Amino acid sequence: MRVKYIVVLFVIMFFGITPKSKANELDNAAACSGVVLGNAAIDYSLGDETSFNEGVRIAITAYLSEVIQSSAAKVDIEIADQILATNTDRIINAANTETFDANVYEDVVKCYRRVAGLLLKNRETIEQNIKKIESLITQRVKLLKRFLSAG
């Protein structure tokens, strides 16, 4: 049993992989932050720029606070970023294909609650890193508006 434990520690150290529970928490934060970003994108497409800006702000703040708090490995952050992007696209596609039904709506509400919980849980991390977070939010708002306005 001891050999198995040593092998697991070696794999974690060698490959830089975050322990599973921390990676799962980060993945869940990314998933819900992506849903909130997708919903914010829908607000933007409906002409509600204020709701878009606030949706982006809370989603990115919650996600970044979890990234910072978890001290996740680079590979885990890259995977979480992909999860965030996939869920953002999923919500936007639901609106574009008119499949935004009660189940999708419930998922959005659930994720807003999850994101709110992250903001509360990580409030000290947010306060300590607010300048970095604000800078990234500003960049992402501009980038998302450019993507959403194209075409």
Side-chain angles (χ1 to χ4, degrees), residues 108-127:
V108 170
V109 171
K110 176 191 78 165
C111 282
Y112 268 100
R113 288 181 183 143
R114 170 96 171 117
V115 164
L118 290 171
L119 294 172
L120 290 172
K121 179 185 103 175
N122 297 330
R123 66 186 171 277
E124 289 179 18
T125 300
I126 294 166
E127 290 170 4

Side-chain angles (χ1 to χ4, degrees), residues 36-148:
V36 171
L37 280 174
N39 196 66
I42 294 168
D43 289 335
Y44 185 77
S45 70
L46 296 173
D48 189 349
E49 195 167 341
T50 301
S51 292
F52 167 77
N53 290 336
E54 288 306 311
V56 171
R57 175 175 300 288
I58 66 169
I60 291 181
T61 301
Y63 177 61
L64 289 177
S65 72
E66 193 66 18
V67 168
I68 295 166
Q69 184 74 19
S70 71
S71 302
K74 184 177 179 185
V75 67
D76 290 318
I77 294 170
E78 289 170 356
I79 292 168
D81 286 349
Q82 291 173 356
I83 292 168
L84 184 141
T86 299
N87 276 0
T88 301
D89 289 345
R90 181 174 63 87
I91 299 301
I92 293 169
N93 287 335
N96 289 339
T97 60
E98 298 181 14
T99 59
F100 195 106
D101 60 9
N103 292 328
V104 175
Y105 177 77
E106 286 179 26
D107 194 26
V108 170
V109 171
K110 176 191 78 165
C111 282
Y112 268 100
R113 288 181 183 143
R114 170 96 171 117
V115 164
L118 290 171
L119 294 172
L120 290 172
K121 179 185 103 175
N122 297 330
R123 66 186 171 277
E124 289 179 18
T125 300
I126 294 166
E127 290 170 4
Q128 293 168 358
N129 295 280
I130 194 65
K131 287 183 182 180
K132 185 187 315 182
I133 292 170
E134 288 291 332
S135 173
L136 288 167
I137 289 169
T138 301
Q139 291 173 358
R140 294 299 173 215
V141 165
K142 288 178 184 175
L143 183 62
L144 287 168
K145 284 181 180 178
R146 184 174 174 185
F147 283 150
L148 296 170

Side-chain angles (χ1 to χ4, degrees), residues 1-12:
M1 187 64 146
R2 186 173 177 95
V3 172
K4 190 183 235 183
Y5 178 73
I6 292 170
V7 169
V8 169
L9 284 177
F10 174 76
V11 168
I12 289 170

